[in-house]
Amino acid sequence: MDRRILFINPNASSSCTAGIADAIAPFGPGLEVTSLADGPPAIVTWRDWFRVAEPLCRVIEATPADAYVIACVSDPGLEAARTATDRPVLGMFRCAVAAALARAERFGVIGFTAASLPRHRRILAGMGVEARMAGWVPLNLPMEALTDAVAPQRRIAEAAQRLADEGAEVVILGCAGMAGHVAVAREAAGVPVIEPCRAAAAAAVLAAMEEVVAPVSA
Amino acid sequence: MDRRILFINPNASSSCTAGIADAIAPFGPGLEVTSLADGPPAIVTWRDWFRVAEPLCRVIEATPADAYVIACVSDPGLEAARTATDRPVLGMFRCAVAAALARAERFGVIGFTAASLPRHRRILAGMGVEARMAGWVPLNLPMEALTDAVAPQRRIAEAAQRLADEGAEVVILGCAGMAGHVAVAREAAGVPVIEPCRAAAAAAVLAAMEEVVAPVSA
Amino acid sequence: MDRRILFINPNASSSCTAGIADAIAPFGPGLEVTSLADGPPAIVTWRDWFRVAEPLCRVIEATPADAYVIACVSDPGLEAARTATDRPVLGMFRCAVAAALARAERFGVIGFTAASLPRHRRILAGMGVEARMAGWVPLNLPMEALTDAVAPQRRIAEAAQRLADEGAEVVILGCAGMAGHVAVAREAAGVPVIEPCRAAAAAAVLAAMEEVVAPVSA
Amino acid sequence: MDRRILFINPNASSSCTAGIADAIAPFGPGLEVTSLADGPPAIVTWRDWFRVAEPLCRVIEATPADAYVIACVSDPGLEAARTATDRPVLGMFRCAVAAALARAERFGVIGFTAASLPRHRRILAGMGVEARMAGWVPLNLPMEALTDAVAPQRRIAEAAQRLADEGAEVVILGCAGMAGHVAVAREAAGVPVIEPCRAAAAAAVLAAMEEVVAPVSA
Amino acid sequence: MDRRILFINPNASSSCTAGIADAIAPFGPGLEVTSLADGPPAIVTWRDWFRVAEPLCRVIEATPADAYVIACVSDPGLEAARTATDRPVLGMFRCAVAAALARAERFGVIGFTAASLPRHRRILAGMGVEARMAGWVPLNLPMEALTDAVAPQRRIAEAAQRLADEGAEVVILGCAGMAGHVAVAREAAGVPVIEPCRAAAAAAVLAAMEEVVAPVSA
Amino acid sequence: MDRRILFINPNASSSCTAGIADAIAPFGPGLEVTSLADGPPAIVTWRDWFRVAEPLCRVIEATPADAYVIACVSDPGLEAARTATDRPVLGMFRCAVAAALARAERFGVIGFTAASLPRHRRILAGMGVEARMAGWVPLNLPMEALTDAVAPQRRIAEAAQRLADEGAEVVILGCAGMAGHVAVAREAAGVPVIEPCRAAAAAAVLAAMEEVVAPVSA
């Protein structure tokens, strides 16, 4: 399969982009990561969330691929991006939630900062599964700390354990760049942990495959 | 990745088992299919659904793997099977629904016979997404016809189109062994089509990967 | 009314069977209790839950009655049992939940052990009333203690009171064999208490009556 | 059991009262029916529905019983009546819906006139089960026709069949006085039929029993 | 606009009526307040709630207006009142909830006494938005204290803050006569506060305008 | 009240802006309408929807007012706009839905083109009231036709009547610029009709008033 799956990080952080690349490396060749050169340092505000939609569409229009992933866990611009190509476009948070629902009936989310909650809730409302979120716990750490190999481990473990206590049967890491902390969260929670970059990679591989098998022009 | 993912077809139909193997072949090595030697010809009744749970557990206990898939779109015995191993166990229908939710907000299902509807509804109720099913259309064809390369195409196309008319933004093939008909359904519906064997394969690859990365003994 | 209503205890515990018989005695003649001779000591695991379905069907096929009750509060095998006869078959937990909904809008459940919660939730999801469960509190007592006349009273009273505090307007005893503790729970909770054996008896009497009045062959 | 269960018909129609008495006769002695002497001919409007609440409370206060049933399928005054006594008070429609949920997951309702629908919906919303109503079909017949032994049979059969076609797995007769038509509806629908007077009788017998077993003064 | 909008306070408390008049004064001329001369001192019980319906209808029938507001936050008699006129009739709690939903997705309610909760829940169930209530906190103060300019401020501030802590993004004052405390609640909660008299005034102005623009006789 | 309420039309159509001004004129002085000079001709695509968010924020930052209304029935940029000021910001569709819920329990929507449905659904999902939409009927007319005084009347009447037939108890005009057609829709539907510009005006007047009464700096 000479597939090409393009992950587009809507922020300009190269460490974040590198973290995404690391996370999806186990899926083998054909998955690439790019970023918005003039994107914000991170998608922190609703204005960021709206603003990156158009640049994301332009990258998609300019870059042929078999499938695209908006590589940010608030899925910014997804609906617009889907009109910019007839190939599948996926959002990382939606993919993570879907992967969680395949594993268990109640999920918890470890968020980046409290500001992410309204965007996560909006996505869950769109998917119709708000009532299945057992808990949502923010880390409230600076981005640098988050991507550090050790610094955020205690906070992540606490959050994971608390979510399990609140009834989560599976835990979603609600931020890109935490792939290195899956084991810590898994150990603390005692339940499966979903890393959104990988969940999106798996979903994109599937989507690209189906569409290759069954191309349509509409 | 020297992974081993075991698909267990709970029925004894070798053509069905072969169809599953064909469907997941694009995922490469490491995915195997077995079946219950003394399973029923198909999972048609609730008694079949309950009866295969224990044999499924025994196969899992006897066969080490990194992840397991109950390879039937009514997910029989899933809850029991999950207690028979500390590795991930997935149900094909749940995986297909999850994959659909990653693509769109309202899905339709092409069922094998009308008898499958209550089991699909039960699963959707467990997942909390009953309200997102835009339609459910049974084929009501004999199993032989279904696996034929040509015979069921008109019926499948009609069902797919009707589901799209009823608001489905993605169509789930609600029966194993229809992978050869994805293109027909896609063409007729004009929306993405989810084939459950492949959806389960993608989910199992992801689950096995996470658990390899983060093994726990609980 | 020469009715015959058969309660089938899917476990092999004779004290449990006797407890069911005591609970339904006030409903007068015509209600009988039997059990699965080779059933498990209790329905504790999902494997138990699946495994008893087929033996339950066989008892129903071999024993004519006007109505049947699966006499276990996780309603094992109910869907299968309903295909084994054209007479009504009822599940004790569903009957208890239905009886609770006739009394008030929010119910709490006293469970046997924490392991029962997923099965109760599945049933509530099937009925569409998950959101009406104000609380679920397990006793986590050994079966022997539970059927003792005095031992579990403090635990039951605490559970009942806690459920009322959490908003339950009616409390369901989520285990067969607790009929002797209705008064204790009622006193502690200050709200009506539903005993599932009796709730099922009332529902079965009603179902048998309607079906006698209006027999159909389908 | 020297129980006394009082059914109170909030309308002044003696044929309706007689119909209720006939319906519940199979439950044996101890069940009585009375009516509001100065009630409206039928509960047709919302003003009727509000207006009968206070007279119903006065009858309850003046008439000791072990349990009470508001014998009208729009459950008028139920919340008020529950404050007029410390004994159980039940509404016939809630009891019928609860009985239906013990039998199947989706119910249909045969209504008296289209005017009843908002009141039924309000009750279902209160119970949290609106989404489980597969259909609602009014008879739109005059009350006299309804209680006739033969006249309404064709309309009832048509309604029952239509509800089954719309997915009802159990049909509720949404009007008191239709007990004589259970067989017709059952035959036409091919699914169980719930007669609300009897459903309320069964629920009241259960409620009276629990409260006798476990009296409380609160 | 020579509109006349009639607020009808269903209780006989003149201080309550005066409080309503004060609250809606900013809406300018054309809004009047009357009360039920022989109404209860307050709508405290379900019997009060049912009992005022008919007198409310009579006031409406006797008093021409462009729109009516049932000026009590349990919306008593609303359904009946809507049949007593072909002009719009609004309930204050429904208007407050609607106004809250226009501002944010999760609301909290400060109730008068714990007894109001079931009536608020019933209304929310009717509107279909029960799941959006983040919290409900009663003041449990005597009516006199409530209308005092200073006495209830601490309690109101505590309630408002607690609701915000529980996730309310907007707070509804769930009692008429608290307009003077909007600022206190706003300050404590840090989120918008909805005063029900004013919410109803705004809704009634809108409703009267539309109906003037587009009169119909049905 | 020297209030200033600013309606911002995110498209550049001057006839649309004029239509909004006409619609809200009955609310008296203090309500102004502006538009995005370089906005799209209409908000037709998701890319339009995302793209206008930032310009809307800039207008708000540059123009002091007591309250703002995003004057487009897909509420573009609302979440971002709410962070650009500490004054209330309202979306016209949310206001219309809220106004509908104050009038009745089930609403229908007349949409501009089929492309609006996903955006309306997303908003309803956010508000939690998707299940209360009885129907959604698009006009599929060109914008010019829509604002014509006569041309679209037949289509609007048909849509309104169809929504009433589908159970709508109130009809929302799902497009700005249809205020002149309220009477036609009202006549055809036989139920109240909500015009979104006026619904937003009423909500903004209320919001501005509360915030004037209770200013906060957070």
Side-chain angles (χ1 to χ4, degrees):
Chain A
M1 289 183 292
D2 277 343
R3 70 185 176 202
R4 184 195 199 192
I5 293 171
L6 186 65
F7 280 64
I8 315 173
N9 175 11
N11 70 45
S13 156
S14 57
S15 74
C16 180
T17 302
I20 296 166
D22 285 352
I24 62 176
F27 283 85
L31 286 73
E32 297 171 28
V33 191
T34 187
S35 67
L36 290 192
D38 52 358
I43 306 297
V44 174
T45 67
W46 278 108
R47 282 171 89 158
D48 296 331
W49 189 86
F50 279 96
R51 212 160 10 193
V52 297
E54 188 62 24
L56 283 167
C57 290
R58 295 212 185 110
V59 170
I60 289 171
E61 288 173 330
T63 323
D66 297 307
Y68 302 87
V69 173
I70 309 290
C72 166
V73 282
S74 62
D75 296 2
L78 181 64
E79 298 81 1
R82 282 178 170 165
T83 70
T85 174
D86 60 2
R87 304 302 308 162
V89 184
L90 295 159
M92 267 176 47
F93 189 64
R94 280 166 176 84
C95 290
V97 171
L101 289 172
R103 296 295 297 275
E105 293 181 0
R106 266 155 197 82
F107 56 86
V109 178
I110 301 181
F112 179 29
T113 73
S116 315
L117 178 55
R119 284 185 284 279
H120 284 180
R121 267 201 184 138
R122 188 64 55 84
I123 295 171
L124 295 175
M127 298 178 80
V129 296
E130 274 178 297
R132 295 317 177 104
M133 185 165 75
W136 194 95
V137 176
L139 290 177
N140 289 327
L141 290 171
M143 175 58 99
E144 313 80 72
L146 197 62
T147 50
D148 184 275
V150 177
Q153 294 196 350
R154 199 171 59 87
R155 270 297 239 296
I156 288 171
E158 285 168 359
Q161 190 168 356
R162 186 172 140 203
L163 289 169
D165 290 347
E166 292 176 354
E169 299 157 347
V170 55
V171 166
I172 295 170
L173 300 185
C175 185
M178 289 165 69
H181 304 307
V182 169
V184 164
R186 179 69 167 97
E187 181 77 26
V191 299
V193 169
I194 304 293
E195 198 284 318
C197 300
R198 286 184 194 140
V205 166
L206 176 67
M209 187 181 297
E210 297 293 3
E211 303 288 330
V212 167
V213 169
V216 289
S217 52
Chain B
M1 289 184 292
D2 276 344
R3 70 187 174 200
R4 185 195 198 192
I5 292 171
L6 186 65
F7 279 65
I8 315 173
N9 174 11
N11 71 44
S13 156
S14 56
S15 74
C16 180
T17 302
I20 296 166
D22 286 352
I24 61 176
F27 283 84
L31 286 74
E32 297 172 28
V33 191
T34 186
S35 68
L36 291 191
D38 52 356
I43 306 296
V44 175
T45 68
W46 278 108
R47 282 172 87 159
D48 295 331
W49 189 86
F50 280 96
R51 211 158 15 191
V52 297
E54 188 61 25
L56 282 167
C57 291
R58 296 214 185 109
V59 169
I60 289 171
E61 288 174 329
T63 323
D66 296 307
Y68 301 88
V69 173
I70 309 290
C72 166
V73 281
S74 63
D75 296 1
L78 180 64
E79 298 81 1
R82 283 178 170 166
T83 70
T85 174
D86 59 3
R87 304 302 310 163
V89 184
L90 294 159
M92 267 175 48
F93 189 64
R94 280 166 175 85
C95 290
V97 171
L101 289 172
R103 296 295 297 276
E105 294 182 0
R106 265 154 197 83
F107 56 86
V109 178
I110 302 181
F112 178 30
T113 72
S116 315
L117 178 55
R119 283 185 284 278
H120 284 180
R121 268 199 183 141
R122 187 66 53 86
I123 294 171
L124 295 174
M127 298 179 78
V129 296
E130 274 178 296
R132 296 316 177 104
M133 185 165 75
W136 194 96
V137 176
L139 290 176
N140 289 327
L141 290 171
M143 175 59 98
E144 312 80 71
L146 197 62
T147 50
D148 185 274
V150 177
Q153 294 196 349
R154 200 172 56 88
R155 272 292 243 297
I156 288 172
E158 286 168 357
Q161 190 169 356
R162 186 173 138 202
L163 289 169
D165 291 346
E166 291 176 355
E169 299 157 347
V170 56
V171 166
I172 296 170
L173 300 184
C175 184
M178 289 164 68
H181 304 307
V182 168
V184 165
R186 178 71 169 98
E187 181 79 26
V191 299
V193 170
I194 305 292
E195 198 284 319
C197 300
R198 287 182 192 141
V205 165
L206 175 67
M209 187 181 296
E210 297 294 2
E211 303 288 328
V212 168
V213 169
V216 290
S217 52
Chain C
M1 290 184 293
D2 277 345
R3 70 186 175 202
R4 185 196 199 191
I5 292 171
L6 187 65
F7 280 64
I8 315 174
N9 174 10
N11 71 44
S13 156
S14 57
S15 74
C16 181
T17 302
I20 295 166
D22 286 353
I24 62 176
F27 282 85
L31 285 74
E32 297 171 28
V33 192
T34 187
S35 66
L36 291 191
D38 53 356
I43 306 297
V44 174
T45 68
W46 278 108
R47 283 172 87 159
D48 295 332
W49 188 86
F50 279 97
R51 211 160 11 192
V52 298
E54 188 62 26
L56 282 167
C57 290
R58 295 211 185 110
V59 170
I60 289 171
E61 289 173 330
T63 324
D66 296 307
Y68 301 87
V69 173
I70 310 291
C72 167
V73 282
S74 62
D75 296 2
L78 180 64
E79 298 81 1
R82 282 178 169 164
T83 70
T85 173
D86 59 3
R87 305 300 310 162
V89 184
L90 294 159
M92 267 176 46
F93 189 64
R94 279 167 176 84
C95 290
V97 171
L101 289 172
R103 296 295 297 277
E105 293 180 1
R106 265 155 198 82
F107 56 86
V109 178
I110 301 180
F112 178 29
T113 72
S116 315
L117 178 54
R119 283 186 285 279
H120 285 180
R121 267 198 184 142
R122 187 64 55 85
I123 295 171
L124 295 175
M127 298 178 79
V129 296
E130 274 178 297
R132 295 316 176 105
M133 185 165 75
W136 195 95
V137 176
L139 290 177
N140 289 327
L141 291 171
M143 175 59 99
E144 312 80 70
L146 197 62
T147 50
D148 185 274
V150 178
Q153 293 195 351
R154 199 173 57 87
R155 270 295 242 297
I156 288 171
E158 286 168 358
Q161 191 170 354
R162 186 173 139 203
L163 289 169
D165 290 347
E166 291 175 355
E169 299 158 347
V170 56
V171 166
I172 296 170
L173 300 184
C175 184
M178 289 165 70
H181 303 307
V182 169
V184 164
R186 178 72 169 96
E187 181 78 26
V191 299
V193 169
I194 304 293
E195 198 284 319
C197 299
R198 286 183 192 141
V205 165
L206 176 68
M209 188 181 296
E210 298 294 2
E211 303 289 328
V212 168
V213 168
V216 290
S217 52
Chain D
M1 289 184 292
D2 277 345
R3 71 187 175 202
R4 185 196 198 191
I5 293 171
L6 186 66
F7 280 64
I8 316 174
N9 174 11
N11 71 44
S13 156
S14 56
S15 74
C16 180
T17 302
I20 295 166
D22 286 353
I24 62 176
F27 283 85
L31 286 74
E32 297 171 29
V33 191
T34 187
S35 67
L36 291 190
D38 52 356
I43 306 296
V44 175
T45 68
W46 278 109
R47 282 172 87 159
D48 295 332
W49 188 86
F50 279 96
R51 211 158 15 189
V52 297
E54 188 61 25
L56 282 166
C57 290
R58 296 214 184 109
V59 169
I60 289 171
E61 289 174 329
T63 323
D66 296 308
Y68 301 87
V69 173
I70 310 291
C72 167
V73 282
S74 63
D75 297 1
L78 181 64
E79 298 82 0
R82 282 178 169 164
T83 70
T85 173
D86 58 2
R87 306 300 310 163
V89 184
L90 295 159
M92 267 175 48
F93 189 64
R94 279 166 176 83
C95 290
V97 171
L101 289 172
R103 295 295 297 275
E105 293 181 359
R106 266 156 196 82
F107 56 86
V109 178
I110 301 180
F112 179 29
T113 73
S116 315
L117 178 55
R119 282 185 285 279
H120 284 180
R121 267 199 184 141
R122 186 66 54 86
I123 294 171
L124 295 175
M127 299 178 78
V129 296
E130 274 178 297
R132 296 316 177 103
M133 185 165 75
W136 195 94
V137 176
L139 290 177
N140 289 327
L141 290 171
M143 174 59 98
E144 312 80 72
L146 197 61
T147 49
D148 185 273
V150 177
Q153 294 197 350
R154 198 171 58 86
R155 271 294 242 297
I156 288 171
E158 286 169 357
Q161 191 170 355
R162 186 173 138 203
L163 289 170
D165 290 346
E166 292 176 355
E169 299 157 348
V170 55
V171 167
I172 296 170
L173 300 184
C175 185
M178 290 165 68
H181 304 307
V182 169
V184 165
R186 178 71 169 97
E187 181 76 27
V191 300
V193 170
I194 305 292
E195 198 285 320
C197 300
R198 287 184 192 140
V205 165
L206 175 67
M209 187 182 297
E210 298 294 3
E211 302 288 327
V212 167
V213 168
V216 289
S217 52
Chain E
M1 289 183 291
D2 277 344
R3 68 185 177 204
R4 184 194 199 193
I5 293 170
L6 186 65
F7 280 63
I8 316 173
N9 174 10
N11 71 46
S13 156
S14 57
S15 74
C16 181
T17 302
I20 296 166
D22 286 352
I24 61 177
F27 283 85
L31 286 74
E32 298 171 28
V33 191
T34 187
S35 68
L36 291 191
D38 52 355
I43 306 297
V44 175
T45 68
W46 278 108
R47 282 172 88 160
D48 295 332
W49 189 86
F50 279 97
R51 211 158 14 190
V52 297
E54 188 61 26
L56 282 167
C57 290
R58 296 213 185 109
V59 169
I60 289 171
E61 289 173 329
T63 323
D66 297 308
Y68 302 87
V69 173
I70 309 290
C72 166
V73 283
S74 63
D75 296 2
L78 181 64
E79 299 81 0
R82 282 178 169 165
T83 70
T85 173
D86 59 2
R87 306 300 312 162
V89 185
L90 295 159
M92 266 175 48
F93 190 64
R94 279 166 176 83
C95 290
V97 171
L101 289 172
R103 296 295 297 275
E105 293 181 0
R106 266 154 197 83
F107 56 86
V109 178
I110 301 181
F112 178 30
T113 72
S116 314
L117 178 54
R119 282 186 284 279
H120 285 180
R121 267 199 185 142
R122 187 65 55 85
I123 294 171
L124 295 175
M127 298 178 80
V129 296
E130 274 178 296
R132 295 316 177 103
M133 185 165 75
W136 195 95
V137 176
L139 290 177
N140 288 327
L141 291 171
M143 175 58 99
E144 312 80 71
L146 197 62
T147 50
D148 185 274
V150 178
Q153 293 195 351
R154 199 172 57 87
R155 270 295 241 296
I156 288 171
E158 285 168 358
Q161 191 169 355
R162 187 172 139 203
L163 289 169
D165 290 346
E166 291 175 356
E169 299 158 348
V170 56
V171 166
I172 295 170
L173 300 184
C175 185
M178 289 166 68
H181 303 308
V182 168
V184 165
R186 179 71 169 96
E187 181 77 28
V191 299
V193 170
I194 305 293
E195 199 284 320
C197 300
R198 287 182 192 140
V205 165
L206 176 67
M209 187 181 296
E210 298 294 2
E211 302 289 328
V212 168
V213 169
V216 289
S217 53
Chain F
M1 289 185 294
D2 277 345
R3 70 187 174 202
R4 184 194 198 192
I5 292 171
L6 186 65
F7 280 65
I8 315 173
N9 174 11
N11 71 45
S13 156
S14 57
S15 74
C16 181
T17 302
I20 296 166
D22 285 353
I24 62 177
F27 283 84
L31 286 74
E32 298 171 28
V33 191
T34 187
S35 67
L36 291 191
D38 53 355
I43 307 296
V44 175
T45 69
W46 277 109
R47 282 173 87 159
D48 295 331
W49 189 86
F50 279 98
R51 211 160 11 192
V52 296
E54 188 61 27
L56 282 167
C57 291
R58 295 211 185 111
V59 169
I60 289 171
E61 288 173 330
T63 324
D66 296 307
Y68 302 87
V69 172
I70 309 291
C72 167
V73 284
S74 63
D75 297 2
L78 180 64
E79 299 81 1
R82 283 178 168 165
T83 70
T85 173
D86 59 2
R87 305 300 311 161
V89 184
L90 294 159
M92 267 175 47
F93 190 64
R94 279 166 176 85
C95 290
V97 171
L101 289 172
R103 297 294 298 276
E105 293 180 0
R106 265 154 198 82
F107 55 86
V109 178
I110 301 181
F112 179 29
T113 72
S116 316
L117 178 55
R119 283 185 285 278
H120 284 180
R121 267 200 183 140
R122 187 64 54 85
I123 293 171
L124 295 175
M127 298 179 79
V129 297
E130 274 178 296
R132 295 317 177 102
M133 184 164 75
W136 194 95
V137 176
L139 290 176
N140 289 327
L141 290 171
M143 176 58 99
E144 313 80 71
L146 197 61
T147 49
D148 184 274
V150 177
Q153 293 196 350
R154 199 172 58 87
R155 271 295 241 296
I156 288 171
E158 286 168 358
Q161 190 169 357
R162 186 173 139 203
L163 289 169
D165 290 346
E166 291 175 356
E169 299 158 348
V170 56
V171 166
I172 295 170
L173 300 185
C175 184
M178 289 165 70
H181 303 308
V182 169
V184 164
R186 178 71 168 97
E187 181 77 26
V191 299
V193 169
I194 304 293
E195 198 284 319
C197 301
R198 287 183 192 141
V205 165
L206 176 67
M209 187 182 297
E210 298 293 3
E211 303 288 328
V212 168
V213 168
V216 289
S217 53

